[in-house]
Amino acid sequence: MLVQSQAAVIARNETWSGTVATEPHEAGWAREAIFFVRALRDATGEPGQARVELSPDGMRWVPEGTVLDLPRRADEVTFARVAHFGTWLRLSATLPDGASVVVLVTLHLKG
Amino acid sequence: MASGNPQGEGQALLAALRQGDPKLSRFDPLPRIITFDDFDRGFCGWTQLVGNYEHSLDSMLPGYAQHSMAMLSTLPQWDFGSHGSFDGTYALKLASKPRKGAQNVTVKRLTFRKRGPLRLEFYFTFKPEATALRLSEADVRSIGFLYDLQTGDRDSDGARIMPHLRFLNALDGEHVQKWQFKRHTTEVKPIGTENKTISHYHLAPQDWEDLPGGGQKLCYNEIPTKINWHYVCFDFDLETMQATGFRCNDRVFDMAGFAPIRMPAMRNLWCMLNLAFFVETDVDKRAHLYLDSVCISGDF
């Protein structure tokens, strides 16, 4: 059997500012994941970092420990790799006051 | 020994083979199985319904911009763990965002080989996200399905036809529980500047009509984390572009009063056979639709 694989757009053309998070993504079938964040336009200010989060139930979230820089220029792409994450994944960020970025976030799962 | 009725014997053999297969014996497919989507095999071609756009994603209609990807789910619950699917580990899960009226749609895109009888069968269940320790039976507004069809490029009756059916579970807190259909979509709007792309939001909240005799109380179970699976069979004739049958569990509905959305044929959608499922929340809480499995069959 070939392994399962999926590319999922989990945030499309969303303006991120303040505290934000992607929707809960259930992926207990997958063994590994990569989050890609692409800026669709130049960011305003310094957007800072996003963090990968895990959950026991899709409702309560804890930091996984992996962080990635949010992209600052249009079409810049950043990413983070994650493995052994249980059932749920999401990407969360708290942007500094006055900072914002329009993002396309994709989650690539394999298992 | 020569057979007196080889066609009849062939049909009997086909029926026996299918009834002997535990995965297929819970379906009543027409002779040709077009797809049989058991989500223990993966996503089976079910993807996100992204809206049309040109040059910029900003041109996408808001109804489509909210859509996200379906997931493979074990129906995990905070209070007891994975529920599991109908007959395995995974079901296809579609989740709305946690905002009253939010919708999500998953789609499978095919084309048809012959205009004739088409049968859709699937098992489904729905629940809201279990954020509250109460029954929450009126939190999911609706679940439903639709075909997006267009006649062949040489057909004399060129048209795009979109039969819609939804189970209106609740509206503004009232536990309604009835089947509805839709014969009107929203205004068709041009997208971008090249005169090649248009868009219309056919799942807008207005223009739903009650299916005559379409009230039905479904098993919901007693806390928000327990689910029970329901069966649907929907027959549609691609030759006449009319619905010919609909049942859910033990109820068979009269489709004489049903009508699909009809609009002029579009220049690049010939023989389109798209099937979509949707879910909508009635409160600021995610609504979940689960499917396991989906079978589309035809008579050709």
Side-chain angles (χ1 to χ4, degrees):
Chain A
M1 281 281 286
L2 290 172
V3 297
Q4 297 288 332
S5 177
Q6 191 201 33
V9 170
I10 57 172
R12 181 184 46 243
N13 204 25
E14 290 185 3
T15 301
W16 279 13
S17 63
T19 296
V20 291
T22 59
E23 287 291 290
H25 202 90
E26 188 182 339
W29 57 273
R31 293 183 178 275
E32 60 181 58
I34 299 183
F35 287 96
F36 285 101
V37 184
R38 171 185 158 199
L40 296 178
R41 299 169 202 159
D42 289 346
T44 299
E46 292 293 330
Q49 291 188 316
R51 57 190 175 272
V52 175
E53 293 187 334
L54 308 181
S55 174
D57 54 15
M59 297 182 286
R60 297 158 185 86
W61 296 90
V62 291
E64 186 266 350
T66 301
V67 296
L68 70 158
D69 292 333
L70 288 169
R72 292 178 292 177
R73 299 281 171 251
D75 269 340
E76 182 184 349
V77 175
T78 59
F79 71 95
R81 295 188 176 97
V82 196
H84 199 170
F85 45 77
T87 304
W88 300 93
L89 276 172
R90 76 173 187 180
L91 196 63
S92 182
T94 303
L95 283 72
D97 287 347
S100 67
V101 60
V102 180
V103 296
L104 184 81
V105 183
T106 61
L107 177 58
H108 301 253
L109 299 158
K110 205 172 290 182
Chain B
M1 190 171 72
S3 168
N5 183 5
Q7 188 175 4
E9 289 181 7
Q11 289 173 347
L13 177 61
L14 183 62
L17 286 170
R18 288 176 175 175
Q19 287 180 9
D21 178 345
K23 286 186 175 297
L24 276 177
S25 65
R26 60 188 167 101
F27 293 97
D28 295 313
L30 298 177
R32 176 92 66 176
I33 292 176
I34 299 170
T35 66
F36 173 56
D37 299 337
D38 175 349
F39 299 102
D40 287 317
R41 290 190 291 110
F43 288 89
C44 300
W46 287 94
T47 189
Q48 179 180 166
L49 179 62
V50 70
N52 294 340
Y53 54 89
E54 192 176 85
H55 302 307
S56 166
L57 291 172
D58 293 345
S59 60
M60 190 182 298
L61 296 182
Y64 293 105
Q66 67 182 320
H67 294 171
S68 60
M69 203 68 152
M71 296 165 261
L72 290 181
S73 174
T74 65
L75 290 79
Q77 309 294 349
W78 71 269
D79 55 350
F80 64 88
S82 289
H83 207 301
S85 62
F86 190 109
D87 68 346
T89 302
Y90 297 109
L92 191 72
K93 167 186 175 178
L94 186 64
S96 76
K97 288 187 166 59
R99 185 187 68 251
K100 181 175 181 175
Q103 298 172 324
N104 201 359
V105 184
T106 187
V107 64
K108 184 176 179 111
R109 297 191 174 101
L110 307 172
T111 51
F112 59 78
R113 287 167 55 176
K114 182 186 175 188
R115 286 184 63 175
L118 191 67
R119 173 165 289 181
L120 165 66
E121 296 172 275
F122 61 92
Y123 287 82
F124 75 98
T125 190
F126 60 87
K127 281 283 178 173
E129 190 173 39
T131 53
L133 304 183
R134 53 199 298 256
L135 188 58
S136 311
E137 76 279 16
D139 286 356
V140 176
R141 178 175 293 174
S142 74
I143 63 93
F145 60 95
L146 64 105
Y147 280 124
D148 192 356
L149 309 164
Q150 183 157 309
T151 53
D153 63 338
R154 300 293 176 91
D155 293 344
S156 59
D157 59 345
R160 185 175 175 185
I161 296 99
M162 302 179 73
H164 283 55
L165 269 169
R166 76 170 181 178
F167 182 71
L168 180 64
N169 178 62
L171 187 61
D172 296 330
E174 181 189 354
H175 200 196
V176 180
Q177 301 184 89
K178 63 183 178 185
W179 291 96
Q180 295 185 309
F181 67 100
K182 182 177 252 222
R183 67 180 102 203
H184 300 293
T185 184
T186 56
E187 178 189 7
V188 175
K189 295 183 176 176
I191 297 290
T193 57
E194 297 187 7
N195 195 29
K196 290 183 177 178
T197 303
I198 57 93
S199 195
H200 58 102
Y201 199 64
H202 45 91
L203 290 174
Q206 63 267 30
D207 296 325
W208 287 99
E209 302 175 47
D210 292 349
L211 187 69
Q216 184 175 23
K217 292 182 172 61
L218 294 177
C219 177
Y220 178 83
N221 219 308
E222 296 158 316
I223 56 174
T225 54
K226 296 179 181 176
I227 64 96
N228 292 78
W229 295 96
H230 310 287
Y231 171 75
V232 159
C233 179
F234 177 63
D235 286 327
F236 196 83
D237 188 344
L238 295 174
E239 181 62 42
T240 61
M241 291 294 180
Q242 297 289 335
T244 55
F246 174 52
R247 71 175 299 158
C248 178
N249 289 341
D250 61 330
R251 297 280 306 283
V252 177
F253 298 94
D254 181 0
M255 297 301 276
F258 176 90
I261 296 170
R262 297 183 69 92
M263 62 185 74
M266 297 184 178
R267 61 182 169 184
N268 47 6
L269 301 179
W270 307 109
C271 292
M272 183 165 69
L273 169 52
N274 288 356
L275 171 62
F277 291 96
F278 56 89
V279 66
E280 181 177 23
T281 181
D282 200 51
V283 295
D284 292 338
K285 185 189 289 189
R286 294 177 181 87
H288 297 149
L289 169 66
Y290 301 94
L291 299 163
D292 185 46
S293 304
V294 179
C295 183
I296 309 173
S297 56
D299 190 4
F300 61 93

